[in-house]
Amino acid sequence: MAELVTVGGGPRRARWVAAETGLSVRRRWAAALTVCLGLFLLGLDLTVLNVAVPDLRNDLDASMRETQWIVDAYVLALGGLVLTSGGLTDRLGRRRAFVAGLVVCALSSAAGGLVHSPWQVVTARGAMGVGAALLMPATLCIITGLFPEPALRRRAIAVWAAVGGLGGTCGPVIGGWLVERTSWRAAFWINIPIAALTVVLALTLVPAHRPLSSRAAPRFDVPGAVLSASGLLVLVWAVIESPARGWTEPLTLCAYGVAALLLAGFLVVEHRGACPVLPLPLVRDARVGTAALVLAMMSFALFGALFVVTLYLQGVLEYTPWQAGLRVLPLPAGLMVGAAVSLGVTARWGERSSVLLGLVTVAGAFGLLAHTSAGSGYGPLAVFLVLGGVGAGLTAAASTACVMNAVPAAQAGLGSSVNDATRQVGAALGVAVQGSLLSSTYTGRLDDAFTHIRTPALPHGVNASDNVLSTVAIAHRLPPEARERLRAAAADAFVHGMERAALAAAVVVLAAAVITLRRLPAGARVDPAPSGPPVK
């Protein structure tokens, strides 16, 4: 709780100070904003390369599958390791884990800007994901520890959720500006000064947290960590490779089977283990398990759509990277509005109402996106981005508060890890599944179109496996008539693929709404008692 104390003598200098932390509200908000800057960097890295895809593909001669791996490697490493890193956060101390994650991200980014092959980029992105997995649980742990008061904690978590989404949705804008003025490598190098500034501010403003002693800290769950990370890796590999190898090919089906076995083994190990990385009783709590699942499904829809929409802006509407990035800005604007509105909705009607309202809004946005045509222009897409952002803000802020307020104080780090892991796993699968649906639909329809527009001027190396960006670039080298036919065919094929991806996302979001209605307690509100441990 908080109490009014006089600091430095005199009533004019009285300030609200948390008895548990001994810090003024102003100091605590400065520390929270510093932590949010690190979270912004984490979100930025999720999407900053999206608009750099054409430049990167041309420079490194990367295929569509390699491009998907470049985008997904970061999210996959983050989602696969963030549960394990929650325990490391308690061992190292929250501030120390936060700073260590920033340093790993900065060093990996420096390496990523110097590589010369697609798989080297994938490796660098994966290493960045490892650093992000270390710092992300620390962000929410620090914030819940800084604000034990329910009202302040609710606001802080809303800011946390908004900033996390803001980083991801501003990635295309920043990436586009950098690509047009330098190259795709600048999308890596931009992380270095941001990380350095955040480290300095964290060491100055964020209070140190006493780590658990080696005796008090739980043992490291090696089998659980290996099974969860490897299961997710095999699953994402199968989804990304399916369009090229065939959805029913023996190798593809085998990969899905191996992924299922690994993830089933993970659940068995967690059920029997003495110190599981994911205690199943915690997830069985209706508030924690349901809210975490909803966050995963929302991330699946939103981040997968952001990958597809960025390609649509450049490949179909033919905007430059910078222009495409600017046109994604309605999404973060809507996200901030939704997070702010969720405070009032949650306070009056409970967290479930905010989550449901957000999910229904997002489902409607995807319905609109599914009816977008090649000639629709930017208008309908802008409406989709606004509605999607508002809905995501309503859902993310309330779901995160639901998880953190239901978790016992001793398991705050684990609660943060569950919240973070589900979001990133959902994002990784969203990019993989929606990208694969887009790729398979686009390939099939363009293959049919090529049989009717083949001309001597069309290079023999061009085939339906090229993505829309490559096809449009080739079209510019053709005679006028063949150029327009190829561009129209590519745009039509892409829009049909985007329609299927949007419908799949809409189904997932509506399923999340049904789960929320049936599983999330109707009276879920912000706990009147603090659940976060004090920061010392």
Side-chain angles (χ1 to χ4, degrees), residues 49-50 52-68 70 118 184 311 465-471 474:
L49 276 180
N50 284 13
V53 164
D55 192 41
L56 186 150
R57 281 175 55 89
N58 292 335
D59 189 23
L60 301 181
D61 194 25
S63 66
M64 182 62 177
R65 281 181 293 164
E66 290 169 335
T67 301
Q68 282 181 271
I70 289 170
W184 61 268
L311 291 174
S465 65
D466 291 304
N467 70 10
V468 67
L469 299 167
S470 301
T471 308
I474 292 167

Side-chain angles (χ1 to χ4, degrees), residues 312-338:
Y312 173 76
L313 285 168
Q314 294 183 80
V316 177
L317 301 185
E318 298 190 32
Y319 290 116
T320 66
W322 168 236
Q323 292 170 335
L326 287 176
R327 281 160 178 79
V328 178
L329 281 177
L331 184 60
L335 189 74
M336 289 187 289
V337 171

Side-chain angles (χ1 to χ4, degrees), residues 130-226:
V130 173
L134 188 57
L135 77 89
M136 191 171 191
T139 63
L140 198 51
C141 284
I142 291 171
I143 284 179
T144 55
L146 284 169
F147 298 100
E149 308 93 332
L152 285 179
R153 175 180 291 185
R154 185 168 66 241
R155 294 174 195 166
I157 290 178
V159 171
W160 180 91
V163 171
L166 184 66
T169 49
C170 284
V173 182
I174 297 173
W177 187 86
L178 292 171
V179 168
E180 287 199 8
R181 282 154 181 79
T182 53
S183 77
W184 61 268
R185 299 179 187 276
F188 283 94
W189 292 332
I190 187 62
N191 294 334
I192 300 172
I194 298 176
L197 174 63
T198 309
V199 167
V200 172
L201 291 175
L203 294 176
T204 305
L205 298 174
V206 177
H209 171 261
R210 186 181 300 121
L212 294 176
S213 65
S214 57
R215 292 184 179 180
R219 289 181 299 171
F220 188 66
D221 181 15
V222 176
V226 172

